[in-house]
Amino acid sequence: MEPANYTRVTEFVLTGLSQTREVQLVLFVIFLSFYLFILPGNILIICTIRLDPHLTSPMYFLLANLAFLDIWYSSITAPKMLIDFFVERKRISFGGCIAQLFFLHFVGASEMFLLTVMAFDRYAAICRPLHYATIMNRRLCSILVVLSWLGGFIHSIIQVALIVRLPFCGPNELDSYFCDITQVIRIACANTFPEELVMIFSSGLISVVCFIALLMSYAFLLAMLKKHSGSDESTSRAMSTCYSHITIVVFMFGPSIYIYARPFDSFSLDKVVSVFHTVIFPLLNPIIYTLQNKEVKTAMRKLVNRYILCKEK
């Protein structure tokens, strides 16, 4: 129940990843190097798919959208985290905290739904190869991507609506380097059990159900490939794509299940899992997929040679 008289919190203080100056500098160098190295790779993937006339299948259209969402997702927390390494008192306004929380769940949920669409795409390609082009036409792909974004928006609005109605009267310290529902809800000046329960169902349970459904789907597809196909190149390529998708699914859903599919208590691994969930894995996902795809790698080399190396000469 909301207290009758309280001073509303106008900002939150973040504890960050470490309080030791030397450790902060080391982490800054590591994360900045990783961010500056991997981020251009993801941008190159998007540009390659957009510019290469041979990469027009629905699979590549969805991959470009995945890369875009992953760039956006990691950029929600990484820039402020890097800046805060040099700030003694790490602050974020109440409005800034809610905005960060909103975009984190909007983009994260959109990506989860997009991974489900990518699984459907692989089902159509493997189980209905003769009708694949008809089933996964550009119009349907665009509609599915828009629905993924719409689903992410609705999911995020629910999280924000539950948070903004809570009273915050102090303390205002979040034991993290960014704002998320799991930290913010702990410092509310009210009984948050109903809100926490709704959040666990809307974030945690959905993550678990989607994760299990996707793993079962890819297990079925791999079984189909091994049963009905030989050892030709197309089969190997299809299996390699499925394995890449499974890796991305594990990277995306594993940390999400750990964070949201349990009571929002604090554990020692929380910050480590959060870093991988919000910065490391999102930037690695498209790279992992691309490393298993000869067509994209070949097109990327051509693009680099055409637009970068030729200009240098």
Side-chain angles (χ1 to χ4, degrees), residues 3 12 19 63 69 139 165 188 192 232 248 268 283 290:
F12 295 105
Q19 302 298 319
L63 174 59
L69 286 175
R139 182 173 178 272
R165 62 187 294 271
T192 60
D232 59 318
I248 294 172
S268 57
L283 289 174
T290 304

Side-chain angles (χ1 to χ4, degrees), residues 8-14 80 84 87 89-102 163-164 168 172-174 177-180 184 187:
R8 186 169 183 83
V9 169
T10 58
E11 67 175 13
F12 295 105
V13 177
L14 306 172
K80 179 167 175 53
D84 282 346
V87 178
R89 189 169 174 81
K90 304 165 180 54
R91 297 186 178 94
I92 185 169
S93 67
F94 183 84
C97 180
I98 296 301
Q100 191 177 63
L101 188 154
F102 168 78
I163 288 292
V164 296
F168 296 94
N172 66 336
E173 186 175 273
L174 301 177
Y177 61 94
F178 70 103
C179 281
D180 198 7
V184 175
I187 61 174

